[in-house]
Amino acid sequence: MRGIDEDSGEYLGPSRSQQRRDALEVLALGERLVALSPAQLRQLPIPDPLLPHILDAQRIGSHIARKRQLAFLAKQMRREDEDTLHAIRDALDAGGESARQETALLHRAEAWRDRLLAEGDAALAELLSEHPSADRQHVRQLVRNALEERRLDKPPRAYRELFRLLRETLVQEP
């Protein structure tokens, strides 16, 4: 509802300039989404109705047709609620909350891997007390294989597999 409030004299709703700034911001977000690879798009919380429009804009080569498709994509994005757009922006932002959480998770997994390799059973007992669903035998076997690989100067296959297992374990439980 636009206009002026009869009682207070204040404007109701955002100004036309603010609406235009918001629309241009959504258009810029759409351009960022179109520039991503399909693998990167799958990692973002993009609603299913928007994906075909993004993929269409990616495959269009003509400048004017691409610009028109981007405008259509922005129109479709403006129909989404602000929380959805904020989640997409946050996931795209390298300094966003989801990126920080993912980085923290990776650091925790690396720290556990290093502790397991350095301290052995003491660190394994602590890991199992914090994360009881972890497979003791599999973790112990991977630690043993990683140490053997390091000793023989082999490629770090078990070292990486241990990291993946720890990351999955840390994601499953709080």
Side-chain angles (χ1 to χ4, degrees):
M1 176 199 296
R2 288 280 299 142
I4 299 176
D5 185 14
E6 295 174 8
D7 298 332
S8 65
E10 294 181 16
Y11 286 101
L12 300 174
S15 68
R16 185 170 177 191
S17 298
Q18 183 61 45
Q19 289 175 345
R20 177 149 173 81
R21 283 189 296 269
D22 293 343
L24 288 174
E25 186 178 312
V26 171
L27 178 64
L29 177 62
E31 289 173 351
R32 286 179 65 191
L33 291 174
V34 169
L36 298 176
S37 70
Q40 291 170 321
L41 285 174
R42 282 192 297 272
Q43 295 175 351
L44 298 176
I46 299 174
D48 290 335
L50 291 180
L51 277 175
H53 303 300
I54 294 170
L55 298 175
D56 286 344
Q58 287 178 336
R59 73 173 170 74
I60 294 175
S62 171
H63 176 69
I64 297 301
R66 184 179 180 92
K67 187 175 178 182
R68 193 169 39 245
Q69 180 63 30
L70 281 170
F72 181 70
L73 171 63
K75 178 180 177 182
Q76 299 302 318
M77 289 173 67
R78 285 193 303 273
R79 292 181 177 167
E80 296 293 328
D81 61 341
E82 189 58 36
D83 292 337
T84 303
L85 296 179
H86 181 70
I88 294 171
R89 282 187 198 101
D90 185 46
L92 272 174
D93 186 16
E97 182 62 29
S98 61
R100 282 193 293 274
Q101 289 175 352
E102 180 67 23
T103 302
L105 174 70
L106 296 178
H107 287 303
R108 284 197 319 269
E110 284 177 2
W112 271 113
R113 178 181 60 189
D114 293 342
R115 281 191 61 199
L116 286 168
L117 293 174
E119 299 173 20
D121 286 339
L124 180 61
E126 190 175 332
L127 174 72
L128 292 172
S129 69
E130 290 182 24
H131 304 281
S133 69
D135 183 6
R136 173 190 299 268
Q137 189 175 6
H138 193 207
V139 172
R140 185 175 286 166
Q141 179 184 8
L142 288 174
V143 168
R144 195 170 40 247
N145 290 347
L147 290 171
E148 185 69 15
E149 288 171 353
R150 187 182 288 171
R151 188 179 67 79
L152 296 175
D153 228 9
K154 287 186 169 183
R157 189 188 63 77
Y159 186 77
R160 291 181 185 138
E161 193 174 337
L162 177 62
F163 176 78
R164 280 191 292 272
L165 178 69
L166 289 170
R167 187 181 66 204
E168 290 170 7
T169 301
L170 293 174
V171 166
Q172 290 173 358
E173 297 182 24

